[in-house]
Amino acid sequence: MPEKSRSMQVSVAQRIEPQINKYYLKVSRRYLVVGVVFMLVLLLYIGAVTVFLGDYVTYDNLKYLARDFSAMTLSSNTDFSKMVYNGSNNMTLTYFRGGLAMCDSDSYVYYDTGGNLLVEDRINYTSPVLAESDKYLMVYDVGGRNYAIYNQLTEIISRETSGDIVAGDVADDGSFVVASRSRETRYVVDLYNSAFTKVMSIYKENYVLDTALSPDGKLVVICSAVPSDTDFNCEVEICRRGQSDPVSITNYEQTMPLDIYTIENGFVLLCDNGLYFFDYSGNIISGTSFSGMSLKYADISDSTAAVVCSSNALGTKNRIMAFDSASGEVIYDETVNYRVTGVYASVNRKKELLYFATPDSVIRINSDGGFDTHIPESKIVDVIPTTRGALVCGESSAYPIFDE
């Protein structure tokens, strides 16, 4: 029988020689030279900056450089998870860029929707207050002298005033305003631009109680209490950034201002005797008097202004009202015969008008006039409406409700 011939195995690498394209070889060498030159130039640049501009390379300047890193991150639309934190008696909370910002005397923290802790800073504030815009959040100490500006990733600036702070606010572009006690007059309202440089100081002889910026940062509204013979009057001053003369100054007799909330086309002024809606020319668009009632709670958002007024001394008969923040139109008005412990303005009018709390429940008033009730897990510290429902905040945790 003839023998089988053995087949010879030859490696492909031995049989096929790689073809070298001289053109692409030349191009690759050029890119290599460009890369080396770029690295050398970068190293020389870093060395020159360090030697000649080292005094300007500071931690504060690096934080300023990072101020808009989070601006390109859209507010999260995902569902909230339960958040666990170390609460305290004087903590304040707010909804900021899709997450939860919380501050007390010792710390400022920020959680995203998943309950992840993104920011945690140690502070020393006696009475912390949070003021948020679409892009930035301001933390200031009422009666103290410290304040700071944050985005959702980091602290941007931290500063100290020469007098005790009474109010502050921040606009969408990063400009901000701080009202404090002054040595020259009773109060001074300092306005800073988006580069955090002071551009204007407004001195006030009357008692400044609140100040707020328009969302674009171009207008500042100041409300002050003016002593009269037997009572206080309310003064509302509107100033435009960069102009020495005010847009308008208006006085209202026997009225104590409490809070200002600005929106795109005007602002809402909460007083002890009523709720008033203004345009930026200083004209009142609409107003509601609290005559015969006692103001108990109020909350204002971009879309809704909500108040609770008590009709009797025991607080068992309460009138709950909600208004459109732009026009002052009444969108809800109901009297209930039980105790109310808080009211919270909706930020999503397509779903709900407002929330209010009783000693043992949280009630949502829906846009169609119906209502839903939630029994909380523990004592309520705050209820924060979000675009997808609300967060019920207790002493040590927060969790979402009505987030369907």
Side-chain angles (χ1 to χ4, degrees), residues 36-254:
V36 172
V37 171
F38 176 78
M39 290 300 297
L40 291 174
V41 171
L42 178 62
L43 291 173
L44 289 173
Y45 173 77
I46 293 174
V49 168
T50 303
V51 172
F52 298 106
L53 300 174
D55 293 340
Y56 298 98
V57 182
T58 65
Y59 178 64
D60 287 339
N61 287 342
L62 290 175
K63 288 197 298 183
Y64 176 78
L65 182 66
R67 65 181 185 142
D68 288 326
F69 280 1
S70 71
M72 298 180 67
T73 304
L74 297 178
S75 299
S76 174
N77 290 320
T78 59
D79 294 337
F80 271 97
S81 299
K82 185 173 182 178
M83 305 172 191
V84 179
Y85 45 77
N86 294 321
S88 63
N89 293 330
N90 66 336
M91 66 179 178
T92 178
L93 308 98
T94 191
Y95 180 64
F96 173 58
R97 290 193 62 80
L100 177 66
M102 182 177 70
C103 189
D104 60 18
S105 298
D106 301 319
S107 64
Y108 164 78
V109 296
Y110 177 78
Y111 295 90
D112 66 9
T113 55
N116 301 306
L117 181 62
L118 299 186
V119 181
E120 183 177 18
D121 280 354
R122 304 297 298 177
I123 60 174
N124 185 20
Y125 288 7
T126 302
S127 301
V129 175
L130 300 175
E132 78 281 359
S133 66
D134 285 346
K135 290 172 60 177
Y136 301 100
L137 182 139
M138 183 180 191
V139 185
Y140 61 91
D141 188 12
V142 174
R145 300 190 176 188
N146 297 299
Y147 65 90
I149 305 292
Y150 289 84
N151 60 22
Q152 70 191 92
L153 298 179
T154 185
E155 176 192 274
I156 302 171
I157 64 166
S158 179
R159 292 180 180 174
E160 184 176 347
T161 60
S162 58
D164 295 343
I165 298 173
V166 296
D169 194 24
V170 62
D172 295 342
D173 67 344
S175 57
F176 63 93
V177 61
V178 181
S180 60
R181 298 299 298 262
S182 170
R183 296 174 182 174
E184 292 81 6
T185 57
R186 281 199 175 98
Y187 296 90
V188 59
V189 180
D190 293 321
L191 180 61
Y192 296 79
N193 61 19
S194 57
F196 310 135
T197 302
K198 187 191 295 187
V199 294
M200 191 174 182
S201 292
I202 305 166
Y203 293 92
K204 302 291 294 181
E205 289 292 344
N206 298 316
Y207 298 94
V208 174
L209 297 183
D210 199 12
T211 183
L213 285 172
S214 59
D216 60 9
K218 295 180 180 179
L219 293 165
V220 57
V221 184
I222 307 166
C223 65
S224 308
V226 183
S228 63
D229 294 336
T230 59
D231 206 341
F232 282 93
N233 297 332
C234 171
E235 179 191 84
V236 178
E237 180 175 355
I238 305 171
C239 298
R240 185 174 296 278
R241 186 171 66 192
Q243 294 183 4
S244 57
D245 295 331
V247 175
S248 72
I249 299 179
T250 312
N251 283 275
Y252 302 93
E253 294 183 354
Q254 298 182 342

